[in-house]
Every structure is written in structure tokens, then in C-alpha cells.
Amino acid sequence: MTDVYIVGIGIHPFGRTDSRTGLQQGEFAVRAALADANLNWSDMQFAYGGSDAAGKADTLVAQLGLTTLPFVNVLNGCATGGAALFGAYSAIRSGDFDLGIAMGFDKHPRGAFDPRPTDWGLPEWYGEAGLMVTTQFFATKLRRYMDLHGIRPITLARVAEKAYHNGSLAPHAWRRTPMDADTILGSQMVNDPLTKLMFCSPAEGGVALIVASEKKARELGGPRIRIKAVSMRTRPQGSFEVFAPSLDLERGGSVSTSASRAAFEMAGIGPQDIDVAQLQDTESGAEIMHMAENGFCTDGEQEKWIAEGRTRLDGALPINTDGGCLACGEPIGASGLRQVYENVVQLRGTGGARQVARKVRNGYSHVYGAPGVSAVVILQC
Amino acid sequence: MATRSIAPGVFTPTPALRLIGGRHRASGGLVFPLPPDTESFEPVELPSRGRLWSYTVQRFAPKSPPYRGTEPFEPFALGYVELPGALIVASRLTQVSFDALRLGLPMELTTTALRTDPDGCVVLTYAFRPAQDAIA
């Protein structure tokens, strides 16, 4: 089996672009990735791609070129991008192909996601009673975690403050105005203890990554970043997920922990070897809890880590260096690939104002979403 | 004043108010609410008392549909209540100030008015409130 490398990256700015459909933002990202790798669409031997709500990725062959390549559509909620990369990675690793592309894009209407009970196999009364709201899940998971592990509201605000700072330095970010912790704490309460500025918003964007075998990557001669591990998992028994009318008394692990352990085992390294991490931050508390679920610290250590600035750009483990979902918004199908894009930028050392201070060898990215899926990618240069 | 339940089969009527869960006939595992597949699940009445497992306050009106509450919207507390020996269930929390909510608070099952329909009928949903004997 061959090693797999990322040899080209492209992104369409996240946020709101009224003049382009989701598909057009995906196409934009593909063209940017091809230009980055100095390749043509006709060089692509396969494609994996998808969006959650903005159309079928494979229809893009009309714009990109009718080369007859196999194009697999992926639809995996928040793990859509991760699943696309998982497919592309496996295709190269098998030895059947040596050059291909993974892409994801999305475009969501403004405001909270709008679920229907029947789509989730839930009775109408659950929604009617006001219990089917995604932000409630984040808040209740976080409330319990904060009380059990001594996390304070100021720590939630510091995570968001860091996100908006990092976002202000990232050209592809959406929210590019720095915001201080007091403003974040004082913004409108949404679901206690989370305020409006501690939540990410549905958004738009597209990302594409070109993957190659080791032989092909050497031939191309450009910068190459090795994919050390790609893992994807669905929820284990006893996990706590969105839209749960009941939970088992016996609490289980998290799907993020399952995906994380699998990725570290595959990469043959541990959390202590990671130099930069992008962790799912649907809201401030998610980044905090995911630090522990992914093995970077124990439960409760985040208080100290964040107070000491260890997760800032100049810290020992910079987290969400482009501002994460908080600053970039969350186009579901593109979000996981944005994290990988950002790690490639950091590993290439081309982050400019947001380049982390420490030397970077291993980059980690983690996406999590409903109904309990997680994907982890570890890169190495 | 006429009242009706938010949906049949969610809870038994007062005075013997209970949530109706389902026991998986093969594995014995409990879920709430009772799934429609009654071949696999038998109905089981859940304990009416437990402890607050987590909570939040819904500060904005959820989207309608599916939400159908009182208008204008008023913020309400909700959370999860751990029912010993059974399950942790999602519920509205009532008859408690938002500031008094804390993990471990003893709670008991009650009902609360969700809205009044145009025909004047009050729609009731289940809720948990602080256990009255624990407060006294």
C-alpha cells in the first residue's frame, strides 16, 4: 500500500456569497486546488464530493469537464467532507489510482437549522413541545461538563475571543472582527450558558483537496503533505447526541474519542506529538470538551490551558488557527475539509499572520456532527 | 377548563401521572417515548421522581413548525432528569426560577400548559418540577 499525500488545496471564502450558488463555490474551490497543484481537471482520475443542502457534487462535471472520471457523491451530514477525504485516501492507498480529488461545499439559509421530527424518526410532539432545538443539546451537554469539571463561563468567552482573533487573520474566514471576552459574555443569551457570540452560524463555502500517491507526488515536485491517518466513526452505545428524548443510565464514550483513538493508532503517534489542531467548535464549549475527548488533556485541565493561552497561535498547542467554525461559519459539507485545508497551510508554513509560532510537523483535525458522526485526519510534513 | 394531552401515549393521566416508556422485549433495554413498534417494545411506566442531570434555558422561540407553544413566546427551562433504575429523560422544567436550577436537584413529574388552542382547550405537556417534599 502506498502512502497518500495532499498536493493541492483550494478554498472558496466562507461566509455569505450571494452571487454564487453552493455548487459554484465548490467549483471555485476545485479550480483553486488544481491551480495550486499546477494540474488540470483532466488529470483527475476520480473525485469524491458532496454537500448537505446545496446540490449534487457530481453535476460539476458539466462545468469542470466531461472526462468520464468516476465521481462519488457523499452525504454524511457534518462528516461529509471527512467521508469524501476518507474515500479519496482509500482509493489512492489501494494502489488503483494515483491522483484524485476530494471536495465539499454548502450553502445554508440564515438562522438555526430547521429540523423536522419525522426526518429523525421522532414523534411530532417532541418538536411541538420545544425540545427539538440543536442549541439545547450543546448547552445541556456543556452545562453538565462545566459543573462536573470546573469550567467557568469566562473560559467559554476566551475560546470565542481567540476564534475571532484568529479569524481576523485568515483571508477565508467570515467573521473577521476581533471581539473581546466581555463583549462575548455580554451578548444575547441563547441557551444558558451559551451566548450568541459563542455559537457558530450556518454559512456557505467550498473546499477541495488533491490527493496523490507517493510516486505521483514526487513526480509533481510541489509541496506535499502526508496523510498519516483518516478515521471516521459513528456513535457508540451510551453517547450523548443531539435530539435525544432519552439517554441510557449507563453512559458510554463519545464518537469523537472513538475516531480519535483510531486515528492515533493508525498514525502511530499520540496526542503529545500534535503541533497544531483544528477541533469542531460548533460553540465555545464544544472546543473545550473536544480537547479532552480527542485526548489532548484530561477533563477540567482546559481551565488552566486556556487561561495560560496554550491554545493560541503562539501557544504550545494552537487550536483552530483560522478561527474555526466560530469565525468561519459552518457550511456542513465543507467544514471538515476546511480544517484539513488549514492544517496543510500551517504545515507548509504559509499561514502568514496566522502562522503558528512553534515548529509544525503533525497537524490534527476533528469534525463532529449529528446524529453522532466524527472524522479525524492527521497530517505530517 | 377543558384540557388535552399533547399526544396520546406520552404519559398516563393524573392523578397517577407517569411517563410511558418502552422496554425492548428482547434486550430489556428502556427507551422513552414508547416506539411505535409494539412488537419489539412493550409499554412501561417510568418512575415519576428523579434528579436533574443537566439543564438550560430556551431564550428564543424555536422554529414553528414544529414548535407550537404560547404566543408571545416566553423563555422556558428544560433539561434532562435522571430517573433511578430507568432512564435519563428530556423534559421541560417548571415551577422553578432559572437561577435555582442545579445538577442533582430532586425533581418530580407534573404537567404544564403548553398553549391554549383556538377552541379554548388547554394543551398539556409533561414537565418536571422541584420535588415538593424536598423543598419543604
Side-chain angles (χ1 to χ4, degrees):
Chain A
M1 284 192 292
T2 173
D3 281 333
V4 183
Y5 291 81
I6 295 176
V7 297
I9 57 174
I11 194 164
H12 182 283
F14 278 37
R16 293 282 171 211
T17 308
D18 291 340
S19 60
R20 287 199 187 98
T21 65
L23 270 163
Q24 285 169 335
Q25 295 181 40
E27 179 191 344
F28 181 102
V30 169
R31 293 192 191 280
L34 291 169
D36 180 55
N38 201 20
L39 289 166
N40 296 308
W41 177 247
S42 55
D43 297 317
M44 297 298 107
Q45 298 163 2
F46 65 84
Y48 282 81
S51 79
D52 191 66
K56 297 181 191 309
D58 65 338
T59 61
L60 282 173
V61 295
Q63 283 73 40
L64 291 164
L66 301 174
T67 64
T68 76
L69 89 173
F71 198 132
V72 179
N73 281 343
V74 179
L75 183 62
N76 255 114
C78 299
T80 294
L85 187 59
F86 186 77
Y89 170 85
S90 303
I92 299 284
R93 197 164 164 80
S94 71
D96 291 342
F97 298 93
D98 57 12
L99 192 60
I101 192 162
M103 56 92 67
F105 57 92
D106 243 315
K107 188 177 179 99
H108 307 288
R110 287 167 170 78
F113 291 110
D114 197 7
R116 290 180 304 181
T118 46
D119 288 351
W120 292 77
L122 292 165
E124 282 296 330
W125 67 258
Y126 179 66
E128 192 179 326
L131 298 175
M132 193 170 181
V133 182
T134 51
T135 52
Q136 293 171 354
F137 159 71
F138 296 110
T140 50
K141 182 182 175 190
L142 177 60
R143 174 79 268 161
R144 185 169 171 82
Y145 190 88
M146 288 173 75
D147 286 7
L148 292 182
H149 302 294
I151 306 293
R152 296 174 303 153
I154 182 66
T155 306
L156 303 182
R158 286 198 179 114
V159 168
E161 183 181 51
K162 166 179 68 68
Y164 297 122
H165 170 77
N166 293 357
S168 76
L169 306 174
H172 65 258
W174 179 19
R175 309 212 181 273
R176 303 202 57 200
T177 310
M179 215 91 68
D180 64 40
D182 285 342
T183 305
I184 292 159
L185 276 175
S187 68
Q188 186 194 348
M189 189 62 83
V190 173
N191 280 116
D192 311 43
L194 291 163
T195 65
K196 189 167 194 239
L197 289 174
M198 295 177 187
F199 273 105
C200 83
S201 304
E204 306 168 16
V207 181
L209 306 170
I210 297 175
V211 293
S213 64
E214 181 165 17
K215 180 167 165 285
K216 190 69 177 180
R218 283 187 193 286
E219 243 175 69
L220 293 169
R224 55 180 186 269
I225 304 295
R226 186 174 165 197
I227 302 177
K228 285 287 284 182
V230 182
S231 75
M232 189 188 155
R233 288 290 186 274
T234 54
R235 65 193 168 96
Q237 184 73 38
S239 72
F240 184 18
E241 311 295 346
V242 72
F243 304 150
S246 69
L247 307 171
D248 293 344
L249 283 184
E250 195 175 329
R251 306 305 308 139
S254 89
V255 63
S256 296
T257 301
S258 307
S260 175
R261 285 187 181 151
F264 278 125
E265 191 178 313
M266 193 170 169
I269 61 173
Q272 70 283 355
D273 300 311
I274 298 299
D275 305 302
V276 60
Q278 319 297 333
L279 304 180
Q280 178 78 32
D281 59 332
T282 318
E283 37 80 23
S284 296
E287 177 172 319
I288 291 170
M289 295 184 284
H290 287 149
M291 286 167 67
E293 288 181 26
N294 286 278
F296 293 110
C297 65
T298 59
D299 291 322
E301 269 183 347
Q302 300 97 327
E303 265 295 299
K304 186 161 177 284
W305 275 46
I306 291 163
E308 290 173 359
R310 291 178 72 161
T311 60
R312 299 190 331 199
L313 293 177
D314 58 355
L317 180 64
I319 293 177
N320 291 332
T321 49
D322 65 351
C325 294
L326 288 174
C328 294
E330 193 178 22
I332 290 181
S335 208
L337 293 181
R338 173 188 54 75
Q339 298 174 323
V340 179
Y341 170 93
E342 175 63 10
N343 273 341
V344 172
V345 169
Q346 293 290 340
L347 266 62
R348 285 180 177 178
T350 54
R354 71 180 193 282
Q355 182 65 38
V356 304
R358 62 170 297 157
K359 191 177 176 320
V360 184
R361 178 150 194 263
N362 294 308
Y364 183 98
S365 61
H366 155 264
V367 66
Y368 162 81
V373 291
S374 181
V376 169
V377 180
I378 298 175
L379 303 182
Q380 189 176 75
C381 65
Chain B
M1 192 170 52
T3 62
R4 68 176 177 83
S5 163
I6 188 169
V10 181
F11 50 86
T12 61
T14 46
L17 179 67
R18 289 281 190 283
L19 293 179
I20 304 171
R23 180 183 282 116
H24 191 247
R25 293 177 195 272
S27 71
L30 292 176
V31 291
F32 172 78
L34 173 65
D37 173 13
T38 49
E39 271 188 27
S40 305
F41 290 89
E42 61 178 341
V44 53
E45 292 187 3
L46 300 175
S48 60
R49 297 167 67 97
R51 286 181 182 274
L52 193 56
W53 189 82
S54 192
Y55 60 89
T56 185
V57 178
Q58 183 62 33
R59 300 275 178 181
F60 63 96
K63 279 194 182 171
S64 302
Y67 178 62
R68 293 180 68 196
T70 47
E71 290 184 29
F73 172 78
E74 286 195 20
F76 61 88
L78 68 129
Y80 283 90
V81 179
E82 181 167 357
L83 306 177
L87 275 174
I88 301 165
V89 295
S91 178
R92 280 190 174 229
L93 306 173
T94 189
Q95 298 175 40
V96 61
S97 76
F98 298 157
D99 293 341
L101 295 167
R102 57 179 166 77
L103 263 62
L105 192 66
M107 306 295 283
E108 65 185 19
L109 186 62
T110 184
T111 56
T112 188
L114 179 63
R115 66 172 185 275
T116 304
D117 274 345
D119 61 4
C121 191
V122 175
V123 177
L124 297 177
T125 186
Y126 72 92
F128 279 83
R129 66 180 177 194
Q132 302 298 295
D133 53 0
I135 289 174

